[in-house]
Amino acid sequence: MAEQVRPDFGLTADDYARHRAGFPPELVTRLAERGAGVDGRDVVDLGTGTGTLARLFARAGGRVTGVDPAAPLLREAERLDREAGVNVTHRVATAEETGLPDGEFDVVSAGQCWHWFDPGRATAEVRRLLRPGGRVVIAHFDWLPLPGNVVAATEELITEYNPDWAYGGGTGLYPRWLTDLAVAGFSGIETFSFDLDIPYTPAAWTGRIRASAGVGASLSGPEVARFTDALESVLRGRFPEDVLEIPHRTWAVTAVRP
């Protein structure tokens, strides 16, 4: 996917910060059970965005540096960090070229973003950053389109407004990332997943979708406004509940730097 034009999430930083649900805390527990604990460890979070995964790791005792090419997202991350009372160092840079020192980190993570990276260059950078025996964590927290549910209806609408959007119909599972890590020489590759429902008000779900790659990060302002009106109409007509229970899947792969 390296040849694909990357969306500009900086264009939707406000919705991104307000409406994207963070990774569930259970992720930290499950990572620790697999030797990828962050307590007292030096962590780099690539593609950190507004810092949802970085804050989760900082709350768990990690010394975290968040890296992202979008300065507007990092400004939102800094604000959210202050509100949460956690300390994360931020750096404007890409996952493929962070500018951080060699071999000084115990964990390198990438949450909800590996598909935007050049896998060969990104895995090389992860290897460079990690100490021997350090862990890489690639994690996703995806909504799940199921027949007739609000996610499926929303994805249909995204495709109507942005036919180039190619991420609908997902299962929340990413076997290709295992190949990326194996090709780069990582060992001890393991995966796990678990599902849960996340409650959204209709307004919050609309904001969450505006913060997606297919809408606010790709469409023009007038197109986003028209999409917003259309989604609000779909929700009123087909999903009139005060709270929408949105199914999500948490999935992660961990591996060891030899």
Side-chain angles (χ1 to χ4, degrees):
M1 297 183 187
E3 68 278 5
Q4 182 170 346
V5 175
R6 299 182 186 184
D8 183 357
F9 287 102
L11 297 174
T12 186
D14 180 63
D15 278 326
Y16 199 114
R18 294 173 59 197
H19 298 302
R20 278 198 174 226
F23 282 86
E26 185 180 347
L27 175 63
V28 173
T29 302
R30 297 205 181 202
L31 288 173
E33 292 170 351
R34 289 159 175 81
V38 297
D39 187 15
R41 306 290 180 86
D42 295 307
V43 182
V44 177
D45 185 40
L46 303 177
T48 196
T50 58
T52 57
L53 189 56
R55 270 189 301 282
L56 185 64
F57 288 164
R59 288 191 185 101
R63 295 181 293 272
V64 185
T65 299
V67 175
D68 199 279
L73 294 183
L74 294 183
R75 287 194 291 271
E76 292 292 342
E78 289 167 356
R79 177 181 63 81
L80 293 169
D81 292 347
R82 289 193 297 270
E83 293 176 359
V86 299
N87 182 37
V88 176
T89 300
H90 298 104
R91 184 181 186 89
V92 178
T94 66
E96 296 86 355
E97 193 171 345
T98 64
L100 293 168
D102 294 357
E104 292 196 5
F105 299 93
D106 304 296
V107 177
V108 176
S109 62
Q112 210 74 19
C113 55
W114 191 263
H115 49 296
W116 302 123
F117 301 164
D118 178 313
R121 293 177 61 210
T123 50
E125 182 71 347
V126 170
R127 283 198 63 149
R128 186 185 70 79
L129 293 170
L130 284 172
R131 297 179 172 114
R135 304 289 179 126
V136 57
V137 176
I138 304 174
H140 286 262
F141 186 51
D142 291 348
W143 66 52
L144 296 177
L146 302 172
N149 79 348
V150 64
V151 179
T154 300
E155 289 192 345
E156 290 173 8
L157 195 63
I158 296 174
T159 303
E160 178 182 336
Y161 278 78
N162 186 355
D164 292 332
W165 184 67
Y167 292 98
T171 64
L173 305 174
Y174 296 87
R176 179 175 170 179
W177 307 165
L178 281 67
T179 302
D180 290 344
L181 295 172
V183 168
F186 286 85
S187 63
I189 298 172
E190 297 185 14
T191 67
F192 63 89
S193 68
F194 57 94
D195 292 6
L196 68 166
D197 291 339
I198 302 297
Y200 278 88
T201 65
W205 178 243
T206 301
R208 168 64 185 92
I209 300 306
R210 279 198 306 265
S212 71
V215 183
S218 300
L219 301 179
S220 69
E223 289 172 327
V224 172
R226 288 193 292 272
F227 174 88
T228 297
D229 290 342
L231 180 55
E232 289 174 345
S233 178
V234 168
L235 295 180
R236 286 194 303 269
R238 295 177 55 187
F239 306 95
E241 297 86 358
D242 292 334
V243 177
L244 305 168
E245 296 290 340
I246 306 298
H248 280 69
R249 175 163 295 144
T250 305
W251 178 92
V253 54
T254 65
V256 180
R257 182 204 187 281

